[in-house]
Amino acid sequence: MSMPADLETDSVRLREAMAKGLAADGVLADPAWRQAVEAVPRHRFVPGFYLPADERDEQGLTVWEPVTAELDYGRWLAAAYSDTTLITQFDGEEPDWKAPVVRHGGAPTSSSTLPSLVVRMWADAEITEEHTVLEIGTGTGYSTALACERLGSADVTSIEVDSRRLEQAASALYDCGYTPTLAVADGLYGYWPEASFDRIVAACSFRAVPPALLAQVRPGGKILLTLSGWLYGYARVLLTVTEDGTAEGRLLDGTVSFMSARTHAAPAFGNPAHWAAGLPDKPRATPHSPERITAATEEAFHLRFLAQSAVPDAQMTTVGEVVHLVDVVTDSAATLTPAGAGWAVREGGPVKLWERIERVLDAYDAAGRPGPETFTLHVYGGGQHLRHPRLPGLPLPRP
Protein backbone atom coordinates (compact mmCIF):
# COMPACT_ATOMS: atom_id res chain seq x y z
CA MET A 1 0.00 0.00 0.00
CA SER A 2 1.36 3.45 -0.88
CA MET A 3 1.38 6.18 1.74
CA PRO A 4 -1.98 8.03 1.74
CA ALA A 5 -1.90 11.68 0.64
CA ASP A 6 -3.65 12.78 3.83
CA LEU A 7 -0.92 11.37 6.13
CA GLU A 8 0.02 14.85 7.36
CA THR A 9 -3.62 15.77 8.08
CA ASP A 10 -4.23 12.45 9.85
CA SER A 11 -1.06 12.80 11.92
CA VAL A 12 -1.83 16.36 13.04
CA ARG A 13 -5.26 15.26 14.25
CA LEU A 14 -3.84 12.23 16.09
CA ARG A 15 -1.02 14.30 17.61
CA GLU A 16 -3.48 16.82 19.01
CA ALA A 17 -5.61 13.98 20.41
CA MET A 18 -2.53 12.39 22.03
CA ALA A 19 -1.48 15.73 23.57
CA LYS A 20 -5.01 16.27 24.85
CA GLY A 21 -5.03 12.80 26.43
CA LEU A 22 -1.63 13.29 28.07
CA ALA A 23 -2.72 16.69 29.41
CA ALA A 24 -5.91 15.14 30.85
CA ASP A 25 -3.71 12.54 32.60
CA GLY A 26 -1.69 15.36 34.19
CA VAL A 27 1.47 14.54 32.23
CA LEU A 28 1.57 17.74 30.17
CA ALA A 29 1.19 20.37 32.87
CA ASP A 30 3.83 22.58 31.22
CA PRO A 31 2.39 24.32 28.11
CA ALA A 32 5.86 24.39 26.47
CA TRP A 33 6.09 20.57 26.55
CA ARG A 34 2.51 20.28 25.28
CA GLN A 35 3.44 22.52 22.36
CA ALA A 36 6.43 20.26 21.64
CA VAL A 37 4.25 17.13 21.65
CA GLU A 38 1.80 18.79 19.28
CA ALA A 39 4.64 19.82 16.95
CA VAL A 40 6.84 16.71 16.70
CA PRO A 41 5.65 14.09 14.15
CA ARG A 42 6.32 10.85 16.04
CA HIS A 43 5.38 8.74 13.01
CA ARG A 44 8.50 10.02 11.21
CA PHE A 45 10.66 8.38 13.90
CA VAL A 46 8.96 4.97 13.85
CA PRO A 47 8.64 3.77 10.23
CA GLY A 48 8.54 0.20 11.59
CA PHE A 49 8.01 -1.39 15.00
CA TYR A 50 6.68 -4.52 16.68
CA LEU A 51 3.49 -4.94 18.68
CA PRO A 52 2.69 -8.04 20.76
CA ALA A 53 -0.05 -10.33 19.42
CA ASP A 54 -3.04 -11.04 21.68
CA GLU A 55 -1.93 -14.62 22.34
CA ARG A 56 1.42 -16.33 22.94
CA ASP A 57 2.73 -19.19 20.78
CA GLU A 58 2.75 -22.91 21.73
CA GLN A 59 6.03 -22.44 23.64
CA GLY A 60 4.50 -19.60 25.64
CA LEU A 61 6.65 -16.99 23.89
CA THR A 62 5.34 -13.54 23.01
CA VAL A 63 4.51 -13.27 19.31
CA TRP A 64 5.74 -9.92 17.99
CA GLU A 65 3.97 -8.67 14.87
CA PRO A 66 5.75 -6.17 12.59
CA VAL A 67 3.81 -2.98 11.91
CA THR A 68 4.60 -0.60 9.04
CA ALA A 69 2.57 1.84 6.93
CA GLU A 70 2.83 -0.58 3.99
CA LEU A 71 1.49 -3.53 6.00
CA ASP A 72 -1.36 -1.71 7.75
CA TYR A 73 -1.51 2.09 7.50
CA GLY A 74 -4.30 2.53 10.07
CA ARG A 75 -2.71 0.32 12.72
CA TRP A 76 0.73 1.88 12.17
CA LEU A 77 -0.44 5.49 12.49
CA ALA A 78 -2.78 4.81 15.43
CA ALA A 79 0.03 3.06 17.33
CA ALA A 80 2.52 5.85 16.52
CA TYR A 81 0.19 8.30 18.29
CA SER A 82 -0.84 6.07 21.17
CA ASP A 83 0.81 6.28 24.58
CA THR A 84 2.67 3.02 23.99
CA THR A 85 6.30 1.88 23.91
CA LEU A 86 7.06 0.69 20.39
CA ILE A 87 9.76 -2.00 20.17
CA THR A 88 12.08 -1.31 17.22
CA GLN A 89 14.88 -3.86 17.73
CA PHE A 90 15.52 -7.26 19.33
CA ASP A 91 18.80 -8.78 20.49
CA GLY A 92 20.78 -5.90 18.98
CA GLU A 93 19.79 -6.92 15.42
CA GLU A 94 18.29 -4.30 13.11
CA PRO A 95 15.15 -5.64 11.35
CA ASP A 96 14.74 -5.39 7.58
CA TRP A 97 11.68 -3.17 7.50
CA LYS A 98 11.22 -3.69 3.75
CA ALA A 99 10.49 -7.38 4.42
CA PRO A 100 9.78 -7.66 8.16
CA VAL A 101 8.92 -11.01 9.73
CA VAL A 102 6.92 -12.10 12.79
CA ARG A 103 9.19 -12.78 15.80
CA HIS A 104 8.74 -15.29 18.63
CA GLY A 105 10.26 -14.14 21.91
CA GLY A 106 13.59 -12.32 22.01
CA ALA A 107 14.95 -9.50 24.15
CA PRO A 108 13.97 -5.96 23.09
CA THR A 109 17.12 -3.83 22.78
CA SER A 110 15.74 -0.59 21.38
CA SER A 111 12.38 1.12 21.43
CA SER A 112 10.48 4.36 21.13
CA THR A 113 9.52 4.94 24.76
CA LEU A 114 5.88 5.75 25.46
CA PRO A 115 5.35 9.52 25.04
CA SER A 116 3.98 10.07 28.58
CA LEU A 117 7.23 8.70 30.04
CA VAL A 118 9.42 10.73 27.66
CA VAL A 119 7.62 13.92 28.65
CA ARG A 120 7.70 12.96 32.32
CA MET A 121 11.47 12.41 32.13
CA TRP A 122 12.06 15.83 30.54
CA ALA A 123 9.68 17.53 32.98
CA ASP A 124 11.14 15.74 36.05
CA ALA A 125 14.63 16.91 35.05
CA GLU A 126 13.39 20.48 35.71
CA ILE A 127 14.55 21.73 32.32
CA THR A 128 13.99 25.32 31.28
CA GLU A 129 14.80 27.27 28.12
CA GLU A 130 18.35 28.34 28.99
CA HIS A 131 19.63 24.84 29.81
CA THR A 132 22.10 22.73 27.82
CA VAL A 133 21.17 19.06 27.86
CA LEU A 134 22.87 15.71 27.29
CA GLU A 135 20.46 12.89 26.47
CA ILE A 136 21.82 9.35 26.91
CA GLY A 137 20.07 6.90 24.58
CA THR A 138 18.87 8.58 21.38
CA GLY A 139 16.86 5.51 20.37
CA THR A 140 14.51 6.48 17.55
CA GLY A 141 15.19 10.20 18.10
CA TYR A 142 11.62 11.09 19.12
CA SER A 143 12.53 12.27 22.62
CA THR A 144 15.53 14.15 21.17
CA ALA A 145 13.15 15.95 18.80
CA LEU A 146 10.92 17.00 21.71
CA ALA A 147 13.96 18.48 23.49
CA CYS A 148 15.04 20.30 20.31
CA GLU A 149 11.53 21.67 19.86
CA ARG A 150 11.54 22.99 23.42
CA LEU A 151 15.16 24.19 23.82
CA GLY A 152 16.43 24.69 20.28
CA SER A 153 18.78 22.18 18.62
CA ALA A 154 21.97 24.07 19.60
CA ASP A 155 21.45 23.24 23.30
CA VAL A 156 20.79 19.51 22.80
CA THR A 157 23.41 16.73 22.62
CA SER A 158 22.27 13.12 22.30
CA ILE A 159 24.40 9.96 22.33
CA GLU A 160 23.59 6.40 21.36
CA VAL A 161 25.72 3.25 21.68
CA ASP A 162 24.26 1.60 18.54
CA SER A 163 25.59 3.22 15.36
CA ARG A 164 22.79 1.90 13.11
CA ARG A 165 20.15 3.19 15.51
CA LEU A 166 21.81 6.61 15.59
CA GLU A 167 22.06 6.74 11.80
CA GLN A 168 18.30 6.20 11.48
CA ALA A 169 17.52 8.67 14.28
CA ALA A 170 19.81 11.29 12.72
CA SER A 171 18.10 10.89 9.36
CA ALA A 172 14.63 11.35 10.91
CA LEU A 173 15.76 14.32 13.03
CA TYR A 174 17.39 16.14 10.11
CA ASP A 175 14.40 15.43 7.85
CA CYS A 176 12.22 17.17 10.46
CA GLY A 177 14.59 20.16 10.64
CA TYR A 178 16.24 19.33 13.99
CA THR A 179 20.05 19.56 14.18
CA PRO A 180 21.21 18.51 17.66
CA THR A 181 24.78 17.33 18.31
CA LEU A 182 24.71 13.54 17.84
CA ALA A 183 27.41 10.97 18.57
CA VAL A 184 27.94 7.23 18.86
CA ALA A 185 29.11 6.85 22.46
CA ASP A 186 28.64 4.70 25.57
CA GLY A 187 26.42 6.44 28.11
CA LEU A 188 28.67 5.25 30.95
CA TYR A 189 31.20 7.86 29.88
CA GLY A 190 28.83 10.68 28.94
CA TYR A 191 30.19 12.96 26.22
CA TRP A 192 33.22 15.05 27.16
CA PRO A 193 33.53 17.12 23.93
CA GLU A 194 30.29 18.99 24.71
CA ALA A 195 30.59 19.12 28.54
CA SER A 196 29.71 20.65 30.82
CA PHE A 197 25.92 20.38 30.82
CA ASP A 198 23.12 21.89 32.88
CA ARG A 199 21.17 18.64 32.69
CA ILE A 200 21.87 15.01 31.86
CA VAL A 201 18.85 12.77 31.22
CA ALA A 202 19.29 9.04 30.63
CA ALA A 203 16.77 6.98 28.66
CA CYS A 204 18.51 3.75 29.70
CA SER A 205 19.15 2.43 33.20
CA PHE A 206 22.38 1.90 35.14
CA ARG A 207 23.35 -0.32 38.09
CA ALA A 208 25.05 2.71 39.66
CA VAL A 209 25.57 6.36 38.73
CA PRO A 210 28.53 6.53 36.29
CA PRO A 211 31.22 8.85 37.79
CA ALA A 212 31.91 10.47 34.39
CA LEU A 213 28.40 11.94 34.41
CA LEU A 214 29.02 13.80 37.67
CA ALA A 215 32.15 15.36 36.22
CA GLN A 216 30.24 16.57 33.14
CA VAL A 217 27.57 18.54 34.99
CA ARG A 218 28.20 22.07 36.20
CA PRO A 219 27.81 22.64 39.96
CA GLY A 220 24.11 23.02 40.70
CA GLY A 221 23.24 21.08 37.55
CA LYS A 222 21.11 17.96 37.68
CA ILE A 223 21.19 14.35 36.49
CA LEU A 224 17.99 12.36 36.01
CA LEU A 225 18.50 8.65 35.59
CA THR A 226 16.98 5.28 36.30
CA LEU A 227 18.85 2.85 38.52
CA SER A 228 18.29 -0.83 37.84
CA GLY A 229 19.95 -4.15 38.47
CA TRP A 230 19.93 -7.86 37.96
CA LEU A 231 16.76 -8.43 40.01
CA TYR A 232 15.01 -5.97 37.68
CA GLY A 233 14.34 -3.59 40.52
CA TYR A 234 14.17 0.03 39.37
CA ALA A 235 14.30 3.48 40.94
CA ARG A 236 14.48 6.93 39.40
CA VAL A 237 16.62 9.61 40.99
CA LEU A 238 17.15 13.33 40.36
CA LEU A 239 20.64 14.18 41.57
CA THR A 240 22.02 17.67 42.14
CA VAL A 241 25.78 17.97 41.60
CA THR A 242 27.74 20.02 44.16
CA GLU A 243 30.90 22.15 43.87
CA ASP A 244 33.07 19.29 45.16
CA GLY A 245 31.84 16.84 42.53
CA THR A 246 29.59 14.78 44.81
CA ALA A 247 25.85 14.53 44.28
CA GLU A 248 22.70 13.71 46.14
CA GLY A 249 19.02 13.55 45.46
CA ARG A 250 15.75 11.91 46.40
CA LEU A 251 14.26 8.93 44.66
CA LEU A 252 11.20 9.85 42.60
CA ASP A 253 7.93 8.01 43.01
CA GLY A 254 6.16 6.04 40.30
CA THR A 255 7.22 2.89 38.46
CA VAL A 256 9.53 3.21 35.47
CA SER A 257 11.63 0.57 33.75
CA PHE A 258 14.18 1.32 31.05
CA MET A 259 16.39 -1.11 29.16
CA SER A 260 19.74 -1.32 30.92
CA ALA A 261 22.88 0.17 29.43
CA ARG A 262 24.30 -2.74 27.45
CA THR A 263 27.49 -2.94 29.51
CA HIS A 264 25.39 -3.21 32.70
CA ALA A 265 23.32 -6.19 31.52
CA ALA A 266 23.17 -9.32 33.69
CA PRO A 267 25.45 -12.30 32.94
CA ALA A 268 23.96 -15.68 32.00
CA PHE A 269 23.66 -18.08 34.94
CA GLY A 270 22.90 -21.39 33.26
CA ASN A 271 20.38 -23.93 34.53
CA PRO A 272 18.77 -23.00 37.88
CA ALA A 273 18.36 -26.73 38.67
CA HIS A 274 22.17 -27.11 38.69
CA TRP A 275 22.45 -24.35 41.28
CA ALA A 276 19.62 -25.83 43.37
CA ALA A 277 21.29 -29.27 43.37
CA GLY A 278 24.22 -27.93 45.38
CA LEU A 279 22.12 -26.43 48.19
CA PRO A 280 21.80 -27.97 51.68
CA ASP A 281 18.95 -30.48 52.03
CA LYS A 282 17.49 -28.98 55.20
CA PRO A 283 15.17 -26.03 54.49
CA ARG A 284 14.10 -23.38 57.00
CA ALA A 285 10.87 -21.44 57.23
CA THR A 286 10.89 -17.78 56.15
CA PRO A 287 8.44 -15.16 57.42
CA HIS A 288 8.43 -13.41 54.03
CA SER A 289 6.82 -14.57 50.79
CA PRO A 290 8.87 -13.90 47.63
CA GLU A 291 5.69 -12.25 46.29
CA ARG A 292 6.63 -9.24 48.41
CA ILE A 293 9.23 -8.43 45.75
CA THR A 294 7.60 -10.05 42.70
CA ALA A 295 3.97 -8.87 42.86
CA ALA A 296 2.75 -6.39 40.25
CA THR A 297 2.31 -3.56 42.76
CA GLU A 298 4.10 -0.25 43.31
CA GLU A 299 5.26 -1.37 46.75
CA ALA A 300 6.73 -4.64 45.42
CA PHE A 301 8.43 -2.67 42.62
CA HIS A 302 10.05 -0.39 45.23
CA LEU A 303 10.91 -3.31 47.54
CA ARG A 304 12.59 -5.19 44.72
CA PHE A 305 14.95 -2.24 44.26
CA LEU A 306 15.76 -2.19 47.99
CA ALA A 307 16.29 -5.98 47.99
CA GLN A 308 18.53 -5.67 44.96
CA SER A 309 20.64 -3.06 46.77
CA ALA A 310 21.25 -5.69 49.48
CA VAL A 311 22.17 -8.45 46.99
CA PRO A 312 23.34 -6.54 43.89
CA ASP A 313 24.76 -9.59 42.09
CA ALA A 314 21.71 -11.84 42.54
CA GLN A 315 19.33 -12.82 39.76
CA MET A 316 15.87 -14.33 40.15
CA THR A 317 13.87 -16.78 38.10
CA THR A 318 10.79 -18.89 38.82
CA VAL A 319 10.46 -22.49 37.63
CA GLY A 320 7.02 -23.93 38.37
CA GLU A 321 6.36 -22.86 41.95
CA VAL A 322 10.03 -22.63 42.96
CA VAL A 323 11.73 -19.22 43.08
CA HIS A 324 15.48 -19.40 42.43
CA LEU A 325 18.04 -16.75 43.42
CA VAL A 326 21.44 -17.13 41.76
CA ASP A 327 24.60 -15.06 42.28
CA VAL A 328 27.29 -15.95 39.70
CA VAL A 329 29.76 -13.43 41.19
CA THR A 330 30.03 -15.02 44.66
CA ASP A 331 28.81 -18.56 43.79
CA SER A 332 25.76 -18.28 46.06
CA ALA A 333 22.20 -19.50 45.52
CA ALA A 334 18.85 -19.89 47.27
CA THR A 335 15.50 -21.48 46.50
CA LEU A 336 12.08 -20.64 47.92
CA THR A 337 9.41 -23.32 47.81
CA PRO A 338 5.78 -23.15 49.01
CA ALA A 339 5.42 -25.06 52.31
CA GLY A 340 1.94 -25.26 53.80
CA ALA A 341 0.69 -21.71 54.35
CA GLY A 342 4.21 -20.23 54.04
CA TRP A 343 7.53 -20.67 52.27
CA ALA A 344 10.66 -22.73 52.91
CA VAL A 345 14.12 -21.51 51.92
CA ARG A 346 17.35 -23.39 51.20
CA GLU A 347 20.47 -21.31 50.65
CA GLY A 348 24.18 -21.92 50.19
CA GLY A 349 27.41 -20.17 49.27
CA PRO A 350 29.32 -17.31 50.90
CA VAL A 351 26.36 -14.88 50.63
CA LYS A 352 23.06 -15.92 52.22
CA LEU A 353 20.95 -14.22 49.57
CA TRP A 354 17.45 -14.59 51.04
CA GLU A 355 18.69 -13.87 54.56
CA ARG A 356 20.00 -10.51 53.34
CA ILE A 357 16.68 -9.76 51.65
CA GLU A 358 14.81 -10.76 54.83
CA ARG A 359 16.84 -8.18 56.78
CA VAL A 360 15.80 -5.47 54.32
CA LEU A 361 12.13 -6.52 54.50
CA ASP A 362 12.22 -6.60 58.32
CA ALA A 363 13.83 -3.13 58.51
CA TYR A 364 11.39 -1.77 55.92
CA ASP A 365 8.38 -3.05 57.89
CA ALA A 366 9.81 -1.75 61.20
CA ALA A 367 10.32 1.70 59.59
CA GLY A 368 6.64 1.87 58.62
CA ARG A 369 6.99 0.85 54.96
CA PRO A 370 8.45 4.16 53.67
CA GLY A 371 7.89 5.10 50.01
CA PRO A 372 10.66 5.82 47.45
CA GLU A 373 10.45 9.59 47.89
CA THR A 374 11.69 9.25 51.50
CA PHE A 375 15.03 7.76 50.36
CA THR A 376 18.08 9.82 49.37
CA LEU A 377 20.92 8.66 47.15
CA HIS A 378 24.39 9.99 48.04
CA VAL A 379 27.15 9.71 45.43
CA TYR A 380 30.72 10.52 46.46
CA GLY A 381 34.36 9.51 45.69
CA GLY A 382 33.93 5.91 44.62
CA GLY A 383 30.88 5.12 46.77
CA GLN A 384 27.11 5.31 46.42
CA HIS A 385 24.67 4.82 49.29
CA LEU A 386 20.91 4.81 49.54
CA ARG A 387 19.95 6.38 52.86
CA HIS A 388 16.81 6.69 54.93
CA PRO A 389 16.42 8.22 58.40
CA ARG A 390 14.89 5.02 59.82
CA LEU A 391 16.78 2.36 57.84
CA PRO A 392 20.41 1.20 57.63
CA GLY A 393 22.25 2.51 54.54
CA LEU A 394 22.22 0.31 51.44
CA PRO A 395 25.34 0.50 49.24
CA LEU A 396 24.89 0.30 45.47
CA PRO A 397 27.31 -1.80 43.40
CA ARG A 398 30.51 0.02 42.48
CA PRO A 399 30.14 1.81 39.15
Side-chain angles (χ1 to χ4, degrees):
M1 181 200 298
S2 61
M3 205 74 81
D6 52 2
L7 170 61
E8 291 311 314
T9 316
D10 290 347
S11 67
V12 168
R13 178 175 50 80
L14 288 168
R15 253 197 319 284
E16 284 172 357
M18 182 172 81
K20 192 175 176 184
L22 293 176
D25 291 343
V27 179
L28 280 178
D30 182 338
W33 284 119
R34 178 166 182 165
Q35 197 178 341
V37 169
E38 288 175 346
V40 175
R42 190 187 186 206
H43 69 276
R44 302 272 285 273
F45 295 88
V46 286
F49 47 85
Y50 287 94
L51 291 176
D54 292 337
E55 292 183 10
R56 292 173 176 259
D57 68 10
E58 311 82 68
Q59 276 82 44
L61 297 173
T62 303
V63 178
W64 294 97
E65 298 173 340
V67 181
T68 64
E70 289 71 30
L71 290 170
D72 187 333
Y73 171 77
R75 188 186 188 194
W76 167 73
L77 197 61
Y81 290 105
S82 64
D83 192 29
T84 310
T85 291
L86 305 172
I87 306 298
T88 52
Q89 188 195 73
F90 288 89
D91 305 315
E93 295 167 11
E94 203 60 40
D96 175 6
W97 289 115
K98 292 186 177 61
V101 293
V102 171
R103 290 193 61 106
H104 294 253
T109 46
S110 194
S111 65
S112 179
T113 304
L114 65 164
S116 61
L117 175 51
V118 172
V119 171
R120 192 162 127 210
M121 291 290 288
W122 287 129
D124 284 347
E126 299 174 1
I127 290 169
T128 56
E129 271 67 16
E130 69 278 6
H131 287 148
T132 55
V133 172
L134 170 65
E135 176 189 39
I136 296 173
T138 315
T140 62
Y142 174 67
S143 62
T144 320
L146 290 175
C148 291
E149 186 67 38
R150 170 75 194 268
L151 302 173
S153 297
D155 287 334
V156 178
T157 300
S158 185
I159 61 173
E160 168 63 50
V161 74
D162 185 323
S163 58
R164 288 168 305 175
R165 281 273 96 222
L166 190 69
E167 203 177 311
Q168 293 184 10
S171 177
L173 283 160
Y174 297 153
D175 284 351
C176 292
Y178 302 116
T179 54
T181 300
L182 299 172
V184 175
D186 187 330
L188 253 63
Y189 307 105
Y191 197 61
W192 288 102
E194 294 293 318
S196 57
F197 301 97
D198 294 302
R199 296 288 185 271
I200 294 181
V201 176
C204 58
S205 62
F206 298 98
R207 294 185 77 205
V209 182
L213 302 190
L214 265 60
Q216 291 177 29
V217 174
R218 65 165 181 78
K222 300 187 180 190
I223 302 172
L224 179 71
L225 50 72
T226 302
L227 294 166
S228 66
W230 298 346
L231 282 186
Y232 296 101
Y234 294 87
R236 290 191 312 144
V237 64
L238 181 63
L239 294 164
T240 301
V241 178
T242 60
E243 292 278 356
D244 62 4
T246 62
E248 69 174 70
R250 289 195 179 279
L251 299 189
L252 305 179
D253 60 4
T255 57
V256 166
S257 56
F258 274 119
M259 292 168 195
S260 63
R262 295 192 190 180
T263 40
H264 276 196
F269 58 80
N271 185 339
H274 297 167
W275 292 86
L279 294 176
D281 293 331
K282 193 167 168 54
R284 65 173 177 84
T286 173
H288 298 288
S289 157
E291 283 153 4
R292 292 206 62 190
I293 61 171
T294 60
T297 63
E298 290 219 3
E299 184 182 66
F301 196 87
H302 170 48
L303 268 177
R304 193 179 325 182
F305 179 73
L306 298 182
Q308 174 179 277
S309 301
V311 287
D313 299 322
Q315 297 179 67
M316 182 168 53
T317 186
T318 303
V319 182
E321 288 188 302
V322 182
V323 177
H324 295 260
L325 286 162
V326 174
D327 176 345
V328 302
V329 178
T330 65
D331 183 26
S332 306
T335 60
L336 290 123
T337 311
W343 289 79
V345 60
R346 293 190 304 139
E347 50 192 341
V351 178
K352 299 296 179 274
L353 299 174
W354 189 250
E355 193 177 298
R356 282 201 185 176
I357 292 174
E358 284 175 328
R359 272 188 235 136
V360 171
L361 295 173
D362 287 341
Y364 173 79
D365 291 343
R369 301 188 167 191
E373 66 289 346
T374 62
F375 287 79
T376 310
L377 181 67
H378 299 258
V379 185
Y380 49 89
Q384 305 193 10
H385 269 79
L386 198 57
R387 296 210 168 101
H388 188 277
R390 298 193 302 279
L391 283 167
L394 290 165
L396 266 64
R398 285 204 172 268

